[in-house]
Amino acid sequence: MRSLLNPLFAIVLAAALAACSSTPTEDDSSATDNMSQQTDTSPVTPVEPSEPVKPDTSSIPLTADNFYNHPSNYDGTTDSRVIYFAFDSNTVPAAAFETLRAHATYLKNNANAKIRMEGHADERGTREYNVALSERRSKAVEKFLRVQGVASSQLEIVSYGEEKPAAFGHGEMDWAKNRRVEINYLSGRP
């Protein structure tokens, strides 16, 4: 019985290996032939883009849920002066990073420039809670700028809570517009 299993095992193994092997098709071999024929030795000159190309964000719907992180709120320059936040959050949104880096670069290059970061909250929550939340938001923006190398003497924080709304309605989109930190240049405006 044992002498019959060894040749049978060898036949099954050979059949399995034969089934697994494949021969290149015409399409496969033409791709490798084309690669081996490319022998262009001319130097490649990198192309420098004149301006960064912004992706088209027009297909991303602007809703109350994504308002704080919607790319249309931030242009990556010091022209954007409002940073929006998610509900009950003081985390700086990723979409605002380039805009804050632009402000940081400007502040580092202009030692006489000073900004005030004014924190705001929507009307939900107690007055005390909203003042504390808007202060945490301002401090989050301040921390981001400080990590980028901005001197603390150039930064000032004010927290208004719900006292100065940007939108006066009582709906989700109005509340989304009120959860913000405004960056105001006190001196050395860009």
Side-chain angles (χ1 to χ4, degrees), residues 155-171:
L155 307 173
E156 180 182 316
I157 290 177
V158 176
S159 55
Y160 290 110
E162 63 192 73
E163 301 303 318
K164 293 187 174 188
F168 291 96
H170 303 289

PDB file of all heavy atoms in Angstrom, residues 155-171:
ATOM      1  N   LEU A 155       0.139  86.844  20.048  1.00  0.00           N
ATOM      2  CA  LEU A 155      -1.162  86.192  20.118  1.00  0.00           C
ATOM      3  C   LEU A 155      -1.949  86.658  21.329  1.00  0.00           C
ATOM      4  O   LEU A 155      -1.412  86.777  22.425  1.00  0.00           O
ATOM      5  CB  LEU A 155      -0.982  84.668  20.172  1.00  0.00           C
ATOM      6  CG  LEU A 155      -0.122  84.049  19.071  1.00  0.00           C
ATOM      7  CD1 LEU A 155       0.105  82.574  19.351  1.00  0.00           C
ATOM      8  CD2 LEU A 155      -0.755  84.255  17.710  1.00  0.00           C
ATOM      9  N   GLU A 156      -3.231  86.898  21.113  1.00  0.00           N
ATOM     10  CA  GLU A 156      -4.134  87.297  22.192  1.00  0.00           C
ATOM     11  C   GLU A 156      -5.422  86.488  22.041  1.00  0.00           C
ATOM     12  O   GLU A 156      -5.849  86.207  20.922  1.00  0.00           O
ATOM     13  CB  GLU A 156      -4.436  88.790  22.055  1.00  0.00           C
ATOM     14  CG  GLU A 156      -5.344  89.357  23.090  1.00  0.00           C
ATOM     15  CD  GLU A 156      -5.617  90.848  22.848  1.00  0.00           C
ATOM     16  OE1 GLU A 156      -4.673  91.581  22.541  1.00  0.00           O
ATOM     17  OE2 GLU A 156      -6.792  91.244  22.981  1.00  0.00           O
ATOM     18  N   ILE A 157      -6.035  86.125  23.153  1.00  0.00           N
ATOM     19  CA  ILE A 157      -7.249  85.310  23.135  1.00  0.00           C
ATOM     20  C   ILE A 157      -8.393  86.047  23.816  1.00  0.00           C
ATOM     21  O   ILE A 157      -8.210  86.662  24.870  1.00  0.00           O
ATOM     22  CB  ILE A 157      -7.015  83.976  23.878  1.00  0.00           C
ATOM     23  CG1 ILE A 157      -6.079  83.087  23.087  1.00  0.00           C
ATOM     24  CG2 ILE A 157      -8.320  83.249  24.123  1.00  0.00           C
ATOM     25  CD1 ILE A 157      -5.754  81.787  23.792  1.00  0.00           C
ATOM     26  N   VAL A 158      -9.576  85.964  23.188  1.00  0.00           N
ATOM     27  CA  VAL A 158     -10.805  86.470  23.774  1.00  0.00           C
ATOM     28  C   VAL A 158     -11.872  85.403  23.530  1.00  0.00           C
ATOM     29  O   VAL A 158     -11.912  84.808  22.455  1.00  0.00           O
ATOM     30  CB  VAL A 158     -11.251  87.796  23.120  1.00  0.00           C
ATOM     31  CG1 VAL A 158     -12.576  88.265  23.674  1.00  0.00           C
ATOM     32  CG2 VAL A 158     -10.200  88.867  23.289  1.00  0.00           C
ATOM     33  N   SER A 159     -12.722  85.162  24.518  1.00  0.00           N
ATOM     34  CA  SER A 159     -13.800  84.196  24.311  1.00  0.00           C
ATOM     35  C   SER A 159     -15.142  84.878  24.575  1.00  0.00           C
ATOM     36  O   SER A 159     -15.361  85.441  25.633  1.00  0.00           O
ATOM     37  CB  SER A 159     -13.610  82.973  25.198  1.00  0.00           C
ATOM     38  OG  SER A 159     -13.498  83.341  26.536  1.00  0.00           O
ATOM     39  N   TYR A 160     -16.002  84.814  23.580  1.00  0.00           N
ATOM     40  CA  TYR A 160     -17.308  85.468  23.661  1.00  0.00           C
ATOM     41  C   TYR A 160     -18.447  84.492  23.938  1.00  0.00           C
ATOM     42  O   TYR A 160     -19.555  84.919  24.230  1.00  0.00           O
ATOM     43  CB  TYR A 160     -17.607  86.212  22.357  1.00  0.00           C
ATOM     44  CG  TYR A 160     -16.748  87.424  22.158  1.00  0.00           C
ATOM     45  CD1 TYR A 160     -15.773  87.452  21.171  1.00  0.00           C
ATOM     46  CD2 TYR A 160     -16.903  88.556  22.950  1.00  0.00           C
ATOM     47  CE1 TYR A 160     -14.980  88.562  20.978  1.00  0.00           C
ATOM     48  CE2 TYR A 160     -16.112  89.677  22.769  1.00  0.00           C
ATOM     49  CZ  TYR A 160     -15.154  89.674  21.779  1.00  0.00           C
ATOM     50  OH  TYR A 160     -14.367  90.785  21.591  1.00  0.00           O
ATOM     51  N   GLY A 161     -18.204  83.226  23.816  1.00  0.00           N
ATOM     52  CA  GLY A 161     -19.296  82.275  23.998  1.00  0.00           C
ATOM     53  C   GLY A 161     -20.335  82.455  22.904  1.00  0.00           C
ATOM     54  O   GLY A 161     -20.005  82.542  21.734  1.00  0.00           O
ATOM     55  N   GLU A 162     -21.597  82.567  23.314  1.00  0.00           N
ATOM     56  CA  GLU A 162     -22.687  82.722  22.349  1.00  0.00           C
ATOM     57  C   GLU A 162     -23.084  84.182  22.138  1.00  0.00           C
ATOM     58  O   GLU A 162     -24.044  84.477  21.435  1.00  0.00           O
ATOM     59  CB  GLU A 162     -23.903  81.933  22.852  1.00  0.00           C
ATOM     60  CG  GLU A 162     -24.430  82.468  24.172  1.00  0.00           C
ATOM     61  CD  GLU A 162     -25.437  81.559  24.852  1.00  0.00           C
ATOM     62  OE1 GLU A 162     -25.006  80.523  25.379  1.00  0.00           O
ATOM     63  OE2 GLU A 162     -26.626  81.914  24.864  1.00  0.00           O
ATOM     64  N   GLU A 163     -22.347  85.125  22.720  1.00  0.00           N
ATOM     65  CA  GLU A 163     -22.736  86.532  22.759  1.00  0.00           C
ATOM     66  C   GLU A 163     -22.688  87.257  21.421  1.00  0.00           C
ATOM     67  O   GLU A 163     -23.400  88.232  21.226  1.00  0.00           O
ATOM     68  CB  GLU A 163     -21.870  87.293  23.778  1.00  0.00           C
ATOM     69  CG  GLU A 163     -21.971  86.758  25.187  1.00  0.00           C
ATOM     70  CD  GLU A 163     -23.401  86.748  25.724  1.00  0.00           C
ATOM     71  OE1 GLU A 163     -24.139  87.717  25.510  1.00  0.00           O
ATOM     72  OE2 GLU A 163     -23.776  85.736  26.345  1.00  0.00           O
ATOM     73  N   LYS A 164     -21.857  86.825  20.477  1.00  0.00           N
ATOM     74  CA  LYS A 164     -21.733  87.517  19.191  1.00  0.00           C
ATOM     75  C   LYS A 164     -21.923  86.518  18.044  1.00  0.00           C
ATOM     76  O   LYS A 164     -20.969  86.124  17.384  1.00  0.00           O
ATOM     77  CB  LYS A 164     -20.363  88.184  19.073  1.00  0.00           C
ATOM     78  CG  LYS A 164     -20.162  89.333  20.036  1.00  0.00           C
ATOM     79  CD  LYS A 164     -18.863  90.046  19.735  1.00  0.00           C
ATOM     80  CE  LYS A 164     -18.727  91.282  20.587  1.00  0.00           C
ATOM     81  NZ  LYS A 164     -17.574  92.089  20.171  1.00  0.00           N
ATOM     82  N   PRO A 165     -23.173  86.122  17.792  1.00  0.00           N
ATOM     83  CA  PRO A 165     -23.394  85.132  16.731  1.00  0.00           C
ATOM     84  C   PRO A 165     -23.138  85.708  15.345  1.00  0.00           C
ATOM     85  O   PRO A 165     -23.366  86.898  15.096  1.00  0.00           O
ATOM     86  CB  PRO A 165     -24.870  84.761  16.906  1.00  0.00           C
ATOM     87  CG  PRO A 165     -25.490  85.928  17.587  1.00  0.00           C
ATOM     88  CD  PRO A 165     -24.408  86.545  18.436  1.00  0.00           C
ATOM     89  N   ALA A 166     -22.666  84.870  14.445  1.00  0.00           N
ATOM     90  CA  ALA A 166     -22.499  85.257  13.037  1.00  0.00           C
ATOM     91  C   ALA A 166     -23.812  85.058  12.296  1.00  0.00           C
ATOM     92  O   ALA A 166     -24.107  85.762  11.339  1.00  0.00           O
ATOM     93  CB  ALA A 166     -21.400  84.425  12.392  1.00  0.00           C
ATOM     94  N   ALA A 167     -24.612  84.089  12.731  1.00  0.00           N
ATOM     95  CA  ALA A 167     -25.926  83.811  12.156  1.00  0.00           C
ATOM     96  C   ALA A 167     -26.948  83.813  13.286  1.00  0.00           C
ATOM     97  O   ALA A 167     -26.702  83.268  14.356  1.00  0.00           O
ATOM     98  CB  ALA A 167     -25.909  82.458  11.452  1.00  0.00           C
ATOM     99  N   PHE A 168     -28.091  84.439  13.045  1.00  0.00           N
ATOM    100  CA  PHE A 168     -29.061  84.629  14.119  1.00  0.00           C
ATOM    101  C   PHE A 168     -30.201  83.620  14.127  1.00  0.00           C
ATOM    102  O   PHE A 168     -31.099  83.719  14.940  1.00  0.00           O
ATOM    103  CB  PHE A 168     -29.631  86.050  14.063  1.00  0.00           C
ATOM    104  CG  PHE A 168     -28.606  87.082  14.436  1.00  0.00           C
ATOM    105  CD1 PHE A 168     -27.882  87.728  13.456  1.00  0.00           C
ATOM    106  CD2 PHE A 168     -28.352  87.375  15.769  1.00  0.00           C
ATOM    107  CE1 PHE A 168     -26.929  88.674  13.798  1.00  0.00           C
ATOM    108  CE2 PHE A 168     -27.401  88.312  16.112  1.00  0.00           C
ATOM    109  CZ  PHE A 168     -26.686  88.964  15.121  1.00  0.00           C
ATOM    110  N   GLY A 169     -30.178  82.634  13.261  1.00  0.00           N
ATOM    111  CA  GLY A 169     -31.230  81.619  13.234  1.00  0.00           C
ATOM    112  C   GLY A 169     -31.046  80.592  14.331  1.00  0.00           C
ATOM    113  O   GLY A 169     -30.110  80.645  15.131  1.00  0.00           O
ATOM    114  N   HIS A 170     -31.971  79.631  14.345  1.00  0.00           N
ATOM    115  CA  HIS A 170     -31.942  78.594  15.372  1.00  0.00           C
ATOM    116  C   HIS A 170     -31.882  77.200  14.745  1.00  0.00           C
ATOM    117  O   HIS A 170     -32.336  76.230  15.340  1.00  0.00           O
ATOM    118  CB  HIS A 170     -33.168  78.704  16.275  1.00  0.00           C
ATOM    119  CG  HIS A 170     -33.297  80.046  16.934  1.00  0.00           C
ATOM    120  ND1 HIS A 170     -32.459  80.480  17.937  1.00  0.00           N
ATOM    121  CD2 HIS A 170     -34.143  81.078  16.691  1.00  0.00           C
ATOM    122  CE1 HIS A 170     -32.802  81.701  18.303  1.00  0.00           C
ATOM    123  NE2 HIS A 170     -33.820  82.090  17.560  1.00  0.00           N
ATOM    124  N   GLY A 171     -31.292  77.094  13.570  1.00  0.00           N
ATOM    125  CA  GLY A 171     -31.173  75.812  12.887  1.00  0.00           C
ATOM    126  C   GLY A 171     -29.737  75.313  12.883  1.00  0.00           C
ATOM    127  O   GLY A 171     -28.801  76.021  13.288  1.00  0.00           O
TER     128      GLY A 171
END
